[in-house]
């Protein structure tokens, strides 16, 4: 796993999020957790040398864009540089294809598998996205189940967080995808 050079917490429309960075780019992102302490533990696991600190300019710019996206701006964040060290090749492919999904759009796990040239691999796509260390930047919240339901979401808040993010982007309205 890429080791973080530092990390920062920042407020968004959905709560306090976090980002960690290394020498070449973003190493992790995190959606709101139960507490800021839980968020700190999640964003820099096993990285005693990585401390909370002011973000360098490129990361500060990324934070500004993430905050804007979570407030309803249309920004696909595709150009943000991710450190993909120790990430399996299939996950690389899933993450790259997921980053092509524009804000306000959704696709199914099966459709994403077809786009990858691996029809029938919807479950493997879901597992890769479940291990996504870059939520928001790799917008796994834009992938839904074939039955029209939200499907799984491993971030804190689960399906509620996923639904909220999709509502902010205008991909779904209140009451869509089987939720009240």
């Amino acid at each position: 796993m890429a080791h973080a050079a530092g990390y920062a917490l920042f407020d968004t429309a959905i709560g306090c999020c976090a980002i960690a960075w290394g020498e070449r780019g973003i190493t992790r992102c995190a959606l709101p957790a139960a507490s800021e302490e839980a968020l700190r533990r999640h964003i820099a696991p096993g990285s005693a040398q990585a401390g909370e600190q002011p973000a360098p300019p490129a990361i500060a710019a990324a934070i500004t864009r993430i905050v804007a996206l979570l407030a309803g701006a249309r920004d696909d964040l595709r150009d943000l540089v991710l450190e993909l060290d120790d990430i399996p090749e299939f996950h690389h492919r899933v993450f790259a294809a997921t980053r092509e999904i524009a804000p306000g759009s959704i696709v199914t796990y099966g459709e994403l598998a077809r786009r990858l040239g691996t029809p029938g691999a919807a479950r493997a796509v879901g597992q890769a996205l479940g291990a996504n260390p870059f939520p928001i930047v790799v917008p796994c919240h834009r992938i839904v189940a074939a039955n029209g339901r939200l499907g799984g979401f491993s971030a804190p808040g689960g399906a509620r967080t996923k639904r909220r993010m999709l509502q902010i982007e205008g991909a779904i309205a209140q009451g869509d995808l089987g939720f009240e």
Side-chain angles (χ1 to χ4, degrees):
M1 172 178 274
H3 291 288
Y7 68 89
L9 276 55
F10 56 96
D11 290 321
T12 74
I14 65 168
C16 186
C17 292
I19 191 167
W21 60 90
E23 293 178 12
R24 297 182 318 276
I26 298 167
T27 58
R28 291 179 71 83
C29 295
L31 292 166
S35 68
E36 285 187 8
E37 190 51 43
L39 188 58
R40 285 181 180 93
R41 282 192 306 273
H42 174 76
I43 197 63
S47 296
Q49 76 277 15
E52 189 170 354
Q53 56 189 278
I59 299 300
I63 290 169
T64 297
R65 291 173 63 194
I66 290 167
V67 168
L69 176 70
L70 292 173
R74 294 286 183 179
D75 187 346
D76 60 27
L77 307 176
R78 286 184 203 155
D79 60 317
L80 296 182
V81 177
L82 304 176
E83 287 193 18
L84 297 167
D85 300 347
D86 302 324
I87 301 231
E89 179 56 33
F90 181 72
H91 292 208
H92 277 247
R93 293 177 52 225
V94 170
F95 296 170
T98 301
R99 290 183 86 181
E100 294 297 318
I101 302 164
S105 300
I106 55 175
V107 302
T108 65
Y109 293 98
E111 172 59 26
L112 192 58
R114 283 189 290 284
R115 291 180 185 185
L116 291 168
T118 55
R123 188 169 301 226
V125 165
Q127 290 171 341
L129 292 172
N132 176 13
F134 312 104
I136 307 166
V137 178
V138 174
C140 51
H141 63 281
R142 297 181 189 145
I143 314 300
V144 298
N147 62 5
R149 309 255 313 154
L150 286 181
F153 198 58
S154 57
R160 278 197 179 99
T161 299
K162 183 174 187 171
R163 181 181 63 206
R164 176 74 178 119
M165 292 169 73
L166 290 171
Q167 288 171 336
I168 289 168
E169 291 184 359
I172 63 170
Q174 187 88 15
D176 282 355
L177 299 171
F179 289 82
E180 79 324 281

